[in-house]
Amino acid sequence: QEASTCPVLYNFVFLSTGSTVSELIVIGEVGQNITVPCYYSVWNRKSITSMCWGRDRCPSSKCTRPIIWTDGWRVTEQHSSRYQLKGDLQSGDVSLTIVDAREADSGTYCCRVEIPGLFNDQLTNHKVVVKKARISTASPHTYTSEQTSAPGSTSESSFTVTRTWPSVSASEAPQTASAPCSGPSGCLDVTANLQIWQDNTSVSLASQQHPERGLYIGIGSCAALLLILILALLLT
């Protein structure tokens, strides 16, 4: 799809004793198709004439560093396919279109329409400014990395505990070794400590989950002691 052409133009006109010279500023962005306007009056078929576009200001004759020529009917010379005349040439529209503009396209362009007669050429100098396109700032993304075991580790010197432990305070939790166990015996000691800690935690958790059992046992013990005391009094 062809990019839109949205240049901003500022027109400054300067008159000289000979050819009419005007100055224009055209501003566009990188990647756009920029149109640099240039027109002349066509009264009849005989008034259709040749013209050229060149880089730099218009010289006393012809175009400096010409980029495209037309005889008024068709394009006769073209320096690059990026320079095109898309207007109606036979109606006097010889505007230059710069396709896919680049920063290097910035500079002065000369539109020279060759009008028969001495010092009758229509000259227009254009200053083209191609700016970088605006870049939107994307929101930052958060990436997570998966930690893996250190290179060179073996299955004998590492182990994985897949058991789910109940929630305990930091003081009750067993201290894990900062480095893998040095040998199989060390791994067995660690596994045994973990099993003991699990059993103690399970008992503590069971007593926390059923506090009414302890209450019932205490009441039964008090009743038994009271009954023994009454029987002792009766016997005495």
Side-chain angles (χ1 to χ4, degrees):
Q1 185 178 358
E2 182 174 319
S4 60
T5 304
C6 303
V8 179
L9 306 179
Y10 298 87
N11 192 3
F12 302 86
V13 179
F14 300 87
L15 299 180
S16 65
T17 56
S19 303
T20 300
V21 181
S22 62
E23 299 257 350
L24 288 173
I25 298 179
V26 181
I27 302 176
E29 291 185 352
V30 173
Q32 287 184 340
N33 291 353
I34 300 177
T35 298
V36 187
C38 189
Y39 306 89
Y40 71 95
S41 299
V42 176
W43 305 103
N44 50 48
R45 293 174 61 89
K46 292 183 179 180
S47 60
I48 296 175
T49 185
S50 59
M51 63 84 57
C52 65
W53 279 95
R55 300 295 298 262
D56 299 329
R57 297 180 62 85
C58 295
S60 57
S61 65
K62 304 301 180 179
C63 289
T64 304
R65 298 166 58 194
I67 57 178
I68 195 167
W69 280 85
T70 176
D71 59 3
W73 300 89
R74 60 184 179 83
V75 174
T76 57
E77 182 179 338
Q78 189 176 17
H79 176 71
S80 171
S81 60
R82 295 180 54 246
Y83 301 125
Q84 300 178 12
L85 300 180
K86 294 187 175 183
D88 186 356
L89 300 179
Q90 299 175 22
S91 298
D93 184 359
V94 289
S95 301
L96 173 68
T97 298
I98 304 174
V99 178
D100 189 17
R102 306 166 185 173
E103 287 188 271
D105 293 324
S106 299
T108 302
Y109 290 76
C110 167
C111 172
R112 187 183 199 100
V113 180
E114 297 178 324
I115 307 297
L118 187 62
F119 300 115
N120 285 341
D121 287 356
Q122 176 182 310
L123 311 178
T124 309
N125 292 316
H126 302 265
K127 182 179 181 181
V128 176
V129 179
V130 183
K131 298 181 178 180
K132 291 183 179 180
R134 299 175 183 176
I135 302 176
S136 58
T137 304
S139 58
H141 298 279
T142 301
Y143 298 94
T144 58
S145 60
E146 183 178 358
Q147 185 177 0
T148 59
S149 59
S153 61
T154 60
S155 58
E156 294 180 357
S157 59
S158 62
F159 64 95
T160 303
V161 179
T162 58
R163 191 185 304 276
T164 302
W165 303 102
S167 300
V168 294
S169 61
S171 60
E172 296 176 351
Q175 299 296 326
T176 58
S178 57
C181 49
S182 59
S185 59
C187 293
L188 294 176
D189 293 340
V190 174
T191 306
N193 293 334
L194 289 175
Q195 184 64 36
I196 294 173
W197 176 79
Q198 179 194 7
D199 296 339
N200 294 336
T201 305
S202 301
V203 174
S204 175
L205 182 63
S207 61
Q208 292 177 5
Q209 292 177 349
H210 304 284
E212 64 277 4
R213 293 183 180 179
L215 180 61
Y216 295 154
I217 294 174
I219 295 175
S221 300
C222 293
L225 291 175
L226 182 60
L227 181 59
I228 292 172
L229 181 59
I230 294 173
L231 292 176
L233 291 176
L234 291 176
L235 292 177
T236 53

